[in-house]
Amino acid sequence: MDLRIFTEPQQGADYETLLTVAKATEDLGFDAFFRSDHYLKMGDADGLPGPTDAWITLAGLARETRRIRLGTLMTAATFRLPGVLAIQVAQVDRMSGGRVELGLGAGWFGQEHEAYGIPFPKEKFGRLEEQLEIVTGLWATEVGKTYDFDGTYYQLKDSPALPKPAQGRVPVLIGGHGARRTPRLAARYADEFNMPFSSVEDTAAQFGRVRDAVAEAGRPADALTYSNALVVCVGRDDQEVARRAAAIGREVDELRTNGLAGTPAEVVEKIGRYAEVGSTRLYLQVLDLSDLAHLELISDKVQSQLP
């Protein structure tokens, strides 16, 4: 089971904070550092000092880390034109020596689009599908050849399809709860399917739909990695769990139900339940980025107990 650290900087974090967490992620033996792609806070957080751009952040981290994978859960297709996104991700991948992964979603948070003047189209899923086709198509085009695309939402003509990523293929993550279109899209384009903030039972059902779609698409059954994103709140005892829950404005019972919360033994047991339904990677949503002792505890008492 791979454990990855997943942050939500729109809630309030500058680059230096993210760099500190990313370096701790690397030093403590976690597999990757991922971040959300949002420009507006959610809920009661003050969001100060203001949003940081996901791909600018990852470009900086690409030069200041050595081992960990870097990526987004999820980049919003509404934020960037597909040709520009392909260039950005390929450049950051080259800057990192081939450690980047692209999580790409349709975009959903209308208020952040309104706040920063970003168009928020009604038909988002079709745009996402065309973006996936274009981004992966540009990367796959042989050097010296050109790429064309004539879609409903985007058109490209005689693109040199440069630059190329350092990796042969940047892993693409697709996720979500949709019962029909999401599994089909994952089966066609994804290297990993991520189920965000869901119970073991809902995870098992959605993984089954994706596996069926993969089989229908004619891909091997093991073509995709299956993963979950879950909020994490671990403490050595109930008092420490309660303190960490209070620090992020959440209730312990709710966190135990909807996330990975409790003592290390409790969290290891619940991770095992996700593993039983096919999850091999977990994105641990860490909401208090000042609490590096939390990461140390997870590394020492949870990660060390996993197969």
Side-chain angles (χ1 to χ4, degrees):
M1 179 67 74
D2 292 335
L3 296 186
R4 296 181 160 192
I5 300 303
F6 169 44
T7 62
E8 301 273 6
Q10 76 279 353
Q11 299 302 93
D14 59 14
Y15 175 75
E16 290 302 323
T17 298
L18 296 172
L19 175 60
T20 298
V21 175
K23 286 186 172 181
T25 297
E26 186 159 78
D27 293 343
L28 292 170
F30 294 105
D31 182 60
F33 175 94
F34 271 58
R35 59 157 293 164
S36 60
D37 190 8
H38 286 295
Y39 292 130
L40 195 67
K41 72 177 184 70
M42 302 169 197
D44 296 331
D46 61 26
L48 295 175
T52 51
D53 182 84
W55 287 100
I56 291 176
T57 297
L58 295 177
L61 298 181
R63 306 303 288 181
E64 298 194 79
T65 59
R66 306 175 307 280
R67 175 189 59 80
I68 51 173
R69 308 288 294 177
L70 301 166
T72 52
L73 279 182
M74 299 282 186
T75 284
T78 49
F79 286 172
R80 299 167 182 87
L81 296 171
V84 174
L85 180 61
I87 291 170
Q88 289 174 319
V89 177
Q91 181 179 1
V92 177
D93 191 55
R94 296 182 74 89
M95 291 170 69
S96 73
R99 293 184 283 124
V100 160
E101 304 183 11
L102 170 64
L104 188 60
W108 61 272
F109 190 21
Q111 284 179 274
E112 67 185 337
H113 293 75
E114 186 176 289
Y116 286 97
I118 303 167
F120 191 58
K122 182 177 180 180
E123 175 47 61
K124 293 180 283 296
F125 201 90
R127 284 177 167 81
L128 170 62
E129 186 162 10
E130 288 194 8
Q131 286 221 3
L132 287 162
E133 175 73 26
I134 292 165
V135 169
T136 57
L138 287 168
W139 292 338
T141 300
E142 294 180 22
V143 175
K145 295 186 177 181
T146 58
Y147 177 82
D148 295 272
F149 182 84
D150 186 15
T152 302
Y153 307 103
Y154 306 104
Q155 294 79 40
L156 287 77
K157 184 174 177 59
D158 295 332
S159 173
L162 297 171
K164 301 301 183 193
Q167 302 174 81
R169 174 183 169 90
V170 172
V172 172
L173 290 73
I174 295 173
H177 302 87
R180 184 177 58 85
R181 293 194 296 177
T182 297
R184 176 182 58 80
L185 211 59
R188 183 173 179 185
Y189 295 107
D191 300 280
E192 178 177 336
F193 179 78
N194 180 263
M195 189 62 170
F197 310 111
S198 299
S199 67
V200 173
E201 295 75 18
D202 289 345
T203 295
Q206 185 71 331
F207 282 1
R209 296 183 193 105
V210 175
R211 290 190 186 98
D212 289 345
V214 168
E216 291 173 9
R219 295 179 68 184
D222 60 353
L224 270 65
T225 296
Y226 293 87
S227 65
N228 287 86
L230 294 162
V231 62
V232 66
C233 181
V234 185
R236 290 178 175 82
D237 51 35
D238 288 346
Q239 183 178 3
E240 191 168 78
V241 174
R243 176 177 63 77
R244 288 201 162 107
I248 60 174
R250 302 281 285 269
E251 297 293 331
V252 172
D253 288 346
E254 177 267 323
L255 287 171
R256 280 196 164 103
T257 299
N258 298 316
L260 297 172
T263 64
E266 290 175 304
V267 170
V268 168
E269 186 276 332
K270 191 165 186 181
I271 289 174
R273 291 165 54 197
Y274 281 96
E276 288 173 359
V277 300
S279 187
T280 61
R281 180 173 292 159
L282 294 178
Y283 294 82
L284 306 180
Q285 185 194 47
V286 177
L287 296 176
D288 184 355
L289 300 184
S290 67
D291 188 1
L292 297 184
H294 192 198
L295 298 185
E296 294 170 2
L297 177 63
I298 296 168
S299 173
D300 184 40
K301 300 300 184 182
V302 175
Q303 183 168 240
S304 62
Q305 304 301 315
L306 300 176

